[in-house]
Amino acid sequence: MTEPLGVYIHWPFCKSKCPYCDFNSHVREGVEQTRWRRALLVELEHAAREAPNRRVETMFFGGGTPSLMEPETVGALIARTKQLWDTAPDIEITLEANPTSVEAGRFAALAEAGVNRVSLGLQALDPAALKFLGREHSVDEALAALTAARRHFARYSFDLIYARPGQTPQAWAEELSRALPLAGEHLSLYQLTIERGTKFFAEHARGAFALPAEDQAAELFELTQARLAAAGLPAYEISNHARPGAACRHNLIYWRYQDYVGVGPGAHGRFTVGEAKRATRRISGPEGWLAAVEREGHGTVETTDVLGRDREEEALMVGLRLSEGIERALFASTTGRDPVEALGDRVTPLVDAGFLKVDATHLKATAAGRQRLNAVLERLLA
Ligand SMILES: C[S@@+](CC[C@H](N)C(=O)[O-])C[C@H]1O[C@@H](n2cnc3c(N)ncnc32)[C@H](O)[C@@H]1O
Ligand code: SF4
């Protein structure tokens, strides 16, 4: 059987930079859409030479704000993908969208272009929180964008950010009560993190605001898990919840350490080449990437073959994010070793502490383990 492949396409532009965000996103006046379309198509062709003879199961337009792409560009990239590879008849094509009215106005054209799933960055359903998060949309605009998403796409999801300064469990429970009736099959619920280099990093450092303490954040996480499971959308990953069978297939490829190619500034790829997992990374800066693609046909800054212990570590780091955990047979077939055997005597203490679970088919982190996955991984990979 032809190996499945995911195709990730990065659009690095946003209307404004949110104070918490450290994604590869930039604010630029007058993006030359035709030039960008041409360059993305050229690098997509390069990606098809890197990972040929696969069957594309998923595409994901991430950002930045891909809802600012011209639908014609999205359509051209989808059409070319279908020429370059065999594609699954039920291919999942997701696009991340900001919930402003301008972008919701493009949904019909994006659906026409082939997008069949949108992920909307709502972030909060509370006006003061939207202001704190530096968002440019109102709660009403967000609700209108959700209605438009529901009308135009078979599948939709939205993001909320919780564990915000001063947010009590009661306030978050109330916000969830407003969010759940709006949810379709999928929700992404992220705890606010303070990332180096962001505006929030500087503000937090000088004491402008404080995040909930660790035990309060843990309480908010547990409340989220319980409420969402009760509503029929259990967590399938640390921050992602879905009805059974409705997980984002593209992100599952990533967390199951299967193959994907990355196109666009800063995009990463991981795909099997012989015995190795080839890791590719493109130039992050939009202008540098564009110039490299126009000069050389791709903007790759680094290509490495991940082998042995490194490959096991990568597979563990992503796989333990999933509620289903790591399928031992799949891990063994890609890395050559059963994960429990590979980790040796580091597993038992973490099982005894209630952070890991092992059975005949899977190695997984418990909900408590997923909540503090970085600490668990530190112990496992020490
Ligand atoms: C690439 S952005 C989504 C697309 C779109 N640009 C938007 O903002 O609506 C991915 C998501 O990551 C989440 N996110 C980004 N930075 C975060 C942070 N520091 N803490 C928590 N969540 C964050 C937000 O929920 C955001 O919607
Ligand atoms: S959260 Fe979204 S809109 Fe805000 S800067 Fe990041 S990518 Fe852009």
Side-chain angles (χ1 to χ4, degrees), residues 13-14 16-18 20-23 25 63-65 98 123 135:
F13 303 115
C14 294
S16 60
K17 183 80 186 176
C18 304
Y20 52 85
C21 179
D22 80 335
F23 281 75
S25 58
T65 307
N98 273 31
Q123 319 307 4
R135 299 296 289 183

Side-chain angles (χ1 to χ4, degrees), residues 58-73:
T58 64
M59 289 182 78
F60 195 102
F61 292 87
T65 307
S67 48
L68 295 173
M69 291 170 86
E70 278 179 357
E72 206 181 326
T73 303

Side-chain angles (χ1 to χ4, degrees), residues 167-177 219-220 223 227:
Q167 193 177 33
T168 61
Q170 196 195 349
W172 174 229
E174 280 166 16
E175 199 166 338
L176 277 179
S177 300
E219 190 182 341
L220 290 165
L223 177 137
R227 278 298 296 277

Side-chain angles (χ1 to χ4, degrees), residues 355-376:
F355 297 138
L356 287 182
K357 244 186 184 163
V358 179
D359 63 27
T361 57
H362 286 81
L363 164 70
K364 61 179 95 167
T366 60
R370 290 196 299 278
Q371 212 250 318
R372 41 182 80 68
L373 189 61
N374 287 346
V376 170

Side-chain angles (χ1 to χ4, degrees), residues 176-291:
L176 277 179
S177 300
R178 272 178 282 142
L180 281 168
L182 306 171
E185 52 165 35
H186 192 286
L187 273 183
S188 300
L189 305 169
Y190 300 105
Q191 292 197 44
L192 177 61
T193 56
I194 302 299
E195 308 292 343
R196 196 168 280 281
T198 61
K199 198 167 161 219
F200 270 5
F201 188 84
E203 290 179 3
H204 183 251
R206 67 172 161 81
F209 64 84
L211 290 185
E214 211 175 298
D215 56 336
Q216 290 166 327
E219 190 182 341
L220 290 165
F221 179 81
E222 279 151 25
L223 177 137
T224 309
Q225 306 297 300
R227 278 298 296 277
L228 273 284
L233 290 122
Y236 68 94
E237 190 266 350
I238 298 176
S239 310
N240 286 280
H241 301 256
R243 298 196 191 283
C248 171
R249 281 164 48 205
H250 183 84
N251 285 338
L252 282 180
I253 287 182
Y254 172 70
W255 291 314
R256 288 178 178 158
Y257 204 50
Q258 292 169 320
D259 288 5
Y260 57 96
V261 289
V263 172
H268 289 257
R270 288 283 184 287
F271 44 89
T272 311
V273 178
E275 289 300 299
K277 194 68 131 174
R278 183 155 294 168
T280 58
R281 185 165 59 85
R282 315 292 187 202
I283 296 166
S284 305
E287 292 74 20
W289 176 86
L290 189 62

